């Protein structure tokens, strides 16, 4: 292919399995692998975290340098993972005092943390003469990169390099007071307006203004950002012409019930009925649930945007009704009030409700393999990966018709439908949707057909990666 880009650098705060908090980590851990398989030289550059992956794999330090963040002198170290075990080049930026921590988020100086990551990255590649074909930035943690590439003379060698921005969640924007501007590398102050939104520095806003192309993680979310973007609605509408919606894929090598080492019992499409039954028995035994009953699951953060605040009322409504025959399994953490409510309900409905407060990757895989239904009552869902994982494992999604959920789940009442959808983020609507799902469960033949149909759906990264490659080609010609 003419003008095919050879070197793509992805910048992200997360990358599975190095460090993952949510869907961002899953995407950055998968998309670059598929790009590399398609013939592109692909790197992921992320902050260094004190995580098991880093401790258990071989890294070599390839660069050491120094720069100032305001008046604070910083040392930047860059480490390369030697074997490319993830299927792409992995580079970690370590800055003692800022990028040497146990977790990606949750620190009081988070603005300085990610500012240092971006400055350290640009300092490294310009000092060493690296000029990639495309720099691909993910979310606000990397939002200052295009602005600095194009409007700071310190990084002038990158001025002609096109940039792609992917918005995984427009609700989080990295706001900073203008007094933090002194911490930035020197830039053309005539361009200050590109950093500003509503009288603060807005890294996500700057990312959208300055990037060559931006993508959203579903087609539906591209449109929704013009009406629900936490203050940036008019910006997304203004920049709509350079926006592209691409539904996230899933890594079908990681998420494959026929090969998943995290499952006590593996299965494929032809054995889905017995395979899910065995996994369900194993899971239910560990949480005191009844494997004879349909199992409804929730996996995710306890946050308002996920509709998790609706969970206690949904659970109470379902389990207090003797006419409803269902068990529920919850895996998640976040809002302490929701955590407390779920834990209390697990005590109240012991034998009907299992709960694990926190997150365990292995347990999530086992729940997908065991559950009959997955509930996602989201208020905001840019793409959603959980519904894609659930369908890969033959579990019917029960989802609110929003964002990427609307793009990927077709209600069973529609032609070739395979899921259950509802319109509003209200407990009564979610409960009614669950009741519809339970009615499907009583029809064993329909349930079996739906499971097999969903498992054959193609939500792999193969198709989505091709669309990203097309974008790279268009902006490098």
């Amino acid at each position: 292919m003419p003008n095919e880009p050879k070197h793509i650098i992805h910048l992200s705060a997360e990358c599975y399995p190095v460090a993952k908090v949510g869907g961002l980590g899953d995407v950055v851990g998968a998309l670059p692998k598929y790009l590399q398989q398609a013939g592109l030289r692909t790197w992921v550059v992320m902050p260094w975290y004190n995580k098991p992956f880093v401790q258990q794999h071989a890294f070599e330090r390839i660069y050491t340098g120094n720069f100032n963040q305001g008046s604070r002198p910083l040392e930047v170290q860059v480490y390369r993972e030697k074997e490319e075990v993830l299927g792409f080049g992995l580079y970690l930026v370590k800055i003692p005092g800022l990028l040497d921590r146990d977790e990606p988020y949750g620190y009081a100086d988070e603005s300085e943390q990610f500012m240092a990551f971006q400055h350290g990255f640009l300092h490294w590649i310009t000092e060493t003469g690296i000029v990639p074909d495309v720099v691909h930035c993910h979310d606000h943690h990397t939002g200052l990169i295009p602005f600095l590439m194009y409007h700071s003379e310190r990084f002038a060698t990158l001025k002609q390099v096109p940039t792609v921005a992917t918005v995984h969640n427009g609700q989080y924007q990295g706001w900073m007071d203008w007094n933090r501007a002194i911490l930035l590398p020197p830039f053309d102050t005539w361009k200050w307006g590109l950093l500003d939104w509503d009288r603060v520095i807005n890294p996500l806003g700057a990312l959208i203004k300055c990037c060559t192309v931006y993508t959203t993680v579903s087609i539906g979310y591209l449109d929704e950002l013009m009406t629900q973007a936490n203050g940036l609605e008019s910006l997304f509408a203004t920049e709509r012409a350079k926006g592209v919606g691409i539904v996230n894929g899933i890594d079908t090598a990681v998420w494959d019930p026929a090969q998943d080492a995290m499952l006590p019992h593996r299965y494929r499409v032809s054995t889905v009925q017995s395979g899910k039954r065995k996994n369900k028995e194993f899971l239910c035994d560990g949480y005191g649930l009844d494997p004879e009953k349909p199992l409804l699951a929730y996996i995710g953060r306890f946050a308002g945007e996920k509709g998790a605040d609706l969970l206690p009322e949904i659970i109470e409504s379902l389990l207090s009704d003797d006419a409803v025959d269902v068990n529920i399994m919850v895996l998640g953490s976040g809002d302490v009030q929701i955590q407390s409510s779920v834990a209390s309900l697990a005590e109240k409905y012991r034998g009907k409700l299992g709960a694990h407060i926190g997150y365990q990757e292995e347990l999530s895989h086992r729940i997908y393999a065991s559950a009959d239904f997955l509930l996602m009552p989201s208020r905001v869902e840019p793409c959603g990966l959980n519904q894609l994982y659930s369908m890969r494992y033959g579990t019917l999604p029960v989802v609110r018709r929003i964002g990427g959920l609307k793009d990927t789940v077709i209600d069973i009442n529609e032609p070739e439908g395979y899921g259950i959808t509802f319109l509003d983020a209200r407990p009564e609507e979610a409960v009614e949707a669950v009741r519809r799902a339970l009615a499907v469960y009583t029809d064993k033949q329909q349930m079996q057909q739906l499971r097999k149909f969903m498992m054959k759906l193609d939500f792999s990264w193969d198709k989505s990666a091709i669309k990203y490659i097309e974008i790279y080609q268009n902006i490098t010609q």
Side-chain angles (χ1 to χ4, degrees), residues 125-430:
I125 65 170
T126 52
E127 284 290 303
T128 55
I130 298 170
V131 181
D133 292 281
V134 176
V135 172
H136 191 144
C137 302
H138 295 266
D139 270 354
H140 74 83
H141 321 98
T142 61
L144 301 173
I145 291 287
F147 174 83
L148 293 172
M149 286 171 57
Y150 303 146
H151 303 296
S152 173
E153 283 303 313
R154 184 168 292 178
F155 313 118
T157 57
L158 304 174
K159 190 166 289 188
Q160 303 304 317
V161 176
T163 50
V164 175
T166 294
V167 182
H168 297 262
N169 193 329
Q171 298 299 302
Y172 303 101
Q173 300 171 9
W175 310 272
M176 290 183 281
D177 289 335
W178 266 102
N179 60 15
R180 303 289 180 89
I182 196 172
L183 303 179
L184 288 168
F187 61 88
D188 181 354
T189 53
W190 287 97
K191 304 295 184 181
W192 71 271
L194 294 172
L195 295 173
D196 184 81
W197 193 263
D198 199 21
R199 297 181 299 281
V200 298
I201 296 174
N202 188 313
L204 183 65
L207 182 61
I208 300 307
K209 292 176 189 178
C210 298
C211 70
T212 311
V213 173
Y214 75 88
T215 71
T216 60
V217 292
S218 70
I219 300 165
Y221 193 52
L222 180 64
D223 295 328
E224 286 176 15
L225 282 171
M226 297 178 207
T227 58
Q228 302 176 50
N230 208 355
L232 290 180
E233 294 83 0
S234 61
L235 175 61
F236 280 107
T238 300
E239 301 288 352
R240 176 65 178 82
K242 67 178 183 182
V244 181
I246 302 175
V247 175
N248 281 340
I250 62 174
D251 190 336
T252 52
V254 173
W255 296 94
D256 180 3
Q259 303 182 65
D260 193 337
M262 297 185 190
L263 302 185
H265 303 282
R266 292 185 279 279
Y267 60 92
R268 57 188 71 251
V269 174
S270 60
T271 58
V272 58
Q273 194 79 349
S274 60
K276 286 187 72 69
R277 172 70 187 193
K278 290 175 182 177
N279 282 286
K280 188 179 187 179
E281 289 173 349
F282 182 90
L283 182 74
C284 287
D285 182 62
Y287 287 88
L289 304 177
D290 184 354
E292 298 299 327
K293 294 184 177 182
L295 181 61
L296 173 71
Y298 174 91
I299 301 173
R301 287 185 294 114
F302 292 162
E305 69 183 54
K306 296 295 183 182
D309 56 305
L310 308 178
L311 273 180
E313 190 172 341
I314 293 170
I315 291 170
E316 184 74 55
S317 179
L318 290 169
L319 297 186
S320 64
D321 188 343
D322 292 335
V324 177
D325 194 32
V326 68
N327 280 177
I328 301 175
M329 183 69 204
V330 175
L331 169 62
S333 64
D335 183 282
V336 292
Q337 187 172 346
I338 300 173
Q339 289 184 175
S340 177
S341 296
V342 170
S344 296
L345 287 167
E347 286 295 319
K348 179 178 180 179
Y349 292 106
R350 187 182 295 272
K352 290 185 176 182
L353 171 63
H356 181 95
I357 305 301
Y359 185 75
Q360 285 186 0
E361 188 73 18
E362 182 178 70
L363 181 56
S364 74
H365 284 240
R366 292 181 174 182
I367 294 173
Y368 287 121
S370 305
D372 299 294
F373 306 101
L374 180 79
L375 177 64
M376 296 181 70
S378 307
R379 289 190 176 85
V380 178
E381 199 63 73
C383 176
L385 293 172
N386 289 11
Q387 82 278 13
L388 305 183
Y389 300 147
S390 76
M391 291 187 283
R392 176 78 165 155
Y393 284 63
T395 298
L396 272 70
V398 180
V399 305
R400 185 176 171 225
R401 202 175 303 134
I402 190 81
L405 301 178
K406 180 174 61 178
D407 289 347
T408 56
V409 179
I410 302 174
D411 193 272
I412 57 171
N413 288 336
E414 299 179 34
E416 296 189 348
Y418 44 82
I420 306 288
T421 66
F422 57 98
L423 190 58
D424 294 321
R426 296 189 296 128
E428 52 268 33
E429 286 212 28

